[in-house]
Amino acid sequence: MADTQYILPNDIGVSSLDCREAFRLLSPTERLYAHHLSRAAWYGGLAVLLQTSPEAPYIYALLSRLFRAQDPDQLHQHALAEGLTEEEYQAFLVYAAGVYSNMGNYKSFGDTKFVPNLPKEKLERVILGSKAAQQHPEEVRDLWQTCGELMFSLEPRLRHLGLGKEGITTYFSGDCTMEDAKLAQDFLDSQNLSAYNTRLFKEVDQEGKPHYEVRLASVLGTDPALDSEVTSKLKSYEFQGSHFQVTRGDYAPLLQKVVEHLEKAKAYAANSHQEQMLAQYIESFTQGSIEAHKRGSRFWIQDKGPIVESYIGFIESYRDPFGSRGEFEGFVAMVNKAMSAKFERLVASAEQLLKELPWPPAFEKDKFLTPDFTSLDVLTFAGSGIPAGINIPNYDDLRQTEGFKNVSLGNVLAVAYATQREKLTFLEEEDKDLYTRWKGPSFDVQVGLHELLGHGSGKLFAQDEKGAFNFDQETVINPETGEQIQSWYRSGETWDSKFSTIASSYEECRAESVGLYLCLNPRVLEIFGFQGAEAEDVIYVNWLNMVRAGLLALEFYTPEASNWRQAHMQARFVILRVLLEAGEGLVTVTPTTGSDGRPDARVRLDRSKIRSVGRPALERFLRRLQVLKSTGDVAGGRALYEGYAAVTDAPPECFLSLRDTVLLRKESRKLIVQPNTRLEGSEVQLLEYEASAAGLIRSFTERFPEDGPELEEVLTRLATADARFWKGPSKAQSVQA
């Protein structure tokens, strides 16, 4: 059997997302709007398979064929007849549910590969003897032969997502290195092109000259179109001695279905903002234009307090090893009015709270653009995973001048972060009851502060294409050096493009630190309904949760490559290091032995020193983070952040050794079963599923009732068309003269 690090355990937690009441309260028109947006999100979410690993589309197609022909109960009998044990069949169901839930065979949280926890030969017998194989023997056998080996392979390079020798990714062809990624980013910056909706494919000609294809995601391919915004860029370039070709048409058949449902959703839009937003998204996905998506995002920002909230596109760059390309995601959700009222009060206090952050006023936005901040019950979240909260759009220029929205996903928080006392690790016994009682409420506070005042704060010093600055070069002083500002963002540069591989984690760390810092404010706690001793408990558990999370983060560190696989967890480890460095016994991490005789550890936080020791340490760190970000000081930012993120075995904590303990005691992230919507006549029905691996599989089997086989064919055809880029140097590094 495989190393437990690379399997999903049979007893993995599975929860169903409950949005029944919020859906019931929608009007018939709102339900139709939500339905078509959900369909668009689910179709687009399939692109994540093509953004993850070469084999992911084939695995998905194989599982879809298998479970469409026989549901989990029917397949169960066949599997036992083929010699599988009950445990082995459950392991297969958990694996299949994991592929669906993560939209691929790599964990969305940690980017680690997971493989089936049963012998390959037994799974082969189940697949080749299945009803699906009887109906379509050649197709099923071909799918198995294409992905079977890779499904089980734990060859070192395939264990994690990464670039070059560090791992596998399909954002880049297999022969791309970090140097290629940097060159491509410089090229994109020179042409004022965003990397968000691109992939990079490299081939080498007979003279050894590299040829790069930058491929935009779009419905249209090479066909001429009226939109000069994109078509003028679709040509060949010579750049720094290399050849670049900008093309489009990536994921075209999937995006065509996205566009069809966005068109249908327009008919049920509640206002002109939503209509114009959808029109621009349609333009973006049709043409491959990020500028059109930005325009759609502007209308989205202006659509304040909608009953049905949604966002869709190539959004988060966490899984791009270089940190610039966006994974497709789309969500549809409905407002939770009670929690949203608390967030509205937080927004009303935001301008005052921003003044408490530990950097000079010049480092804050010129004007606080009052955002929408709502708590939502998710109906649909398509992509590789579901977050607890979101602050979008991610376009720096819009965030600085137009604003943003904050979203807390209430029904996700309710199931994904619920804690059972008996499963709590690394805490003192006396902390466990308090932690169980207050983790949920403290997380509500942290998510609110993290999204609104973490991601929503801070200014980027920039010079536009005309040479004008958005800050006064003469008067603004760097508080860390006492000198005038020496660096800034040039025209075309963004936070992601400049800080690349550390951008996501650095920003998550800044937002988490803001949340910890501002949760000490009594006004914040009053907004969420906490005063006196309860408020102190919320603060304590929020800080305790963060330092425990910093220890748990070690699961996502890869010693062999000396790198982190998850931005949020790296951020939490950095905060743990900062608070440990504060000294005076504020935080201690002590190795110990558990009651089972195996290695264990305990995290202790001295609550009496949170304000006297923790707050000043966090203040100094936060100020440095913001100053380096504002000034675009990549060298200084990397030195600071990578210094704290380094994992060594230096005493007293000995983090490398503690990592083994964390892996020994780790609990797998829950799988979440989402409902479907189905149009019956003119009415939309909500279809819910049981909280089990089988229930999750059924939800996907019923997700595409009209065109499941067509989608399988589309995915495998798209994957096959690019397969040569991951076949190794002999097959991937030559092009026709």
Side-chain angles (χ1 to χ4, degrees), residues 180-297:
D180 294 311
K182 290 172 183 172
L183 176 65
Q185 187 62 58
D186 289 343
F187 165 72
L188 290 167
D189 289 344
S190 74
Q191 298 302 316
N192 203 24
L193 274 169
S194 170
Y196 271 122
N197 65 340
T198 71
R199 290 198 289 168
L200 185 70
F201 300 93
K202 173 187 174 184
E203 296 183 294
V204 179
D205 66 20
Q206 292 171 346
E207 283 75 46
K209 182 177 180 178
H211 291 241
Y212 298 96
E213 178 194 359
V214 174
R215 191 187 302 167
L216 311 180
S218 68
V219 175
L220 293 176
T222 54
D223 353 24
L226 297 176
D227 177 66
S228 60
E229 186 176 86
V230 173
T231 51
S232 64
K233 308 269 190 183
L234 301 176
K235 58 185 180 182
S236 297
Y237 302 81
E238 291 297 319
F239 182 78
Q240 295 186 12
S242 294
H243 178 81
F244 279 84
Q245 178 83 33
V246 178
T247 67
R248 66 179 173 188
D250 219 0
Y251 326 117
L254 300 176
L255 292 178
Q256 177 63 51
K257 290 181 179 290
V258 173
V259 165
E260 288 169 6
H261 280 281
L262 293 179
E263 287 280 10
K264 290 177 180 178
K266 270 175 68 180
Y268 306 105
N271 53 52
S272 62
H273 289 316
Q274 290 180 0
E275 290 174 4
Q276 293 176 91
M277 168 189 83
L278 293 175
Q280 292 299 329
Y281 291 164
I282 290 165
E283 174 81 357
S284 173
F285 299 140
T286 301
Q287 301 285 354
S289 169
I290 288 295
E291 288 303 315
H293 197 267
K294 283 186 180 180
R295 291 193 293 270
S297 298

Side-chain angles (χ1 to χ4, degrees), residues 60-129:
Y60 175 92
L62 180 61
L63 293 174
S64 293
R65 278 187 176 272
L66 207 60
F67 290 113
R68 196 171 55 252
Q70 292 170 283
D71 75 15
D73 289 342
Q74 294 167 334
L75 196 64
H76 180 204
Q77 299 308 313
H78 165 60
L80 295 184
E82 290 290 351
L84 269 69
T85 65
E86 292 284 356
E87 291 74 21
E88 287 168 340
Y89 183 64
Q90 178 63 17
F92 174 55
L93 290 186
V94 166
Y95 175 78
V99 170
Y100 286 135
S101 187
N102 292 278
M103 266 293 100
N105 55 332
Y106 287 76
K107 296 175 187 174
S108 63
F109 206 79
D111 297 341
T112 303
K113 188 174 186 179
F114 57 95
V115 300
N117 190 24
L118 70 158
K120 179 170 174 281
E121 308 73 43
K122 285 193 172 185
L123 181 55
E124 182 174 55
R125 286 206 302 272
V126 171
I127 290 169
L128 298 184

Side-chain angles (χ1 to χ4, degrees), residues 14-16 72-73 93 97 100 672-676 687-703:
V14 185
S15 297
S16 290
D73 289 342
L93 290 186
Y100 286 135
I672 296 181
V673 184
Q674 299 187 53
N676 285 320
L687 306 179
E688 298 174 285
Y689 302 88
E690 68 177 26
S692 67
L696 199 156
I697 290 166
R698 287 190 182 98
S699 74
F700 267 88
T701 304
E702 296 182 12
R703 192 143 284 154

Side-chain angles (χ1 to χ4, degrees), residues 301 303-306 309 347 370-374 404-407:
I301 293 166
D303 183 29
K304 302 287 187 183
E309 181 64 283
V347 171
T370 306
D372 229 11
F373 197 170
T374 48
F404 52 89
K405 281 188 184 182
N406 299 275
V407 172

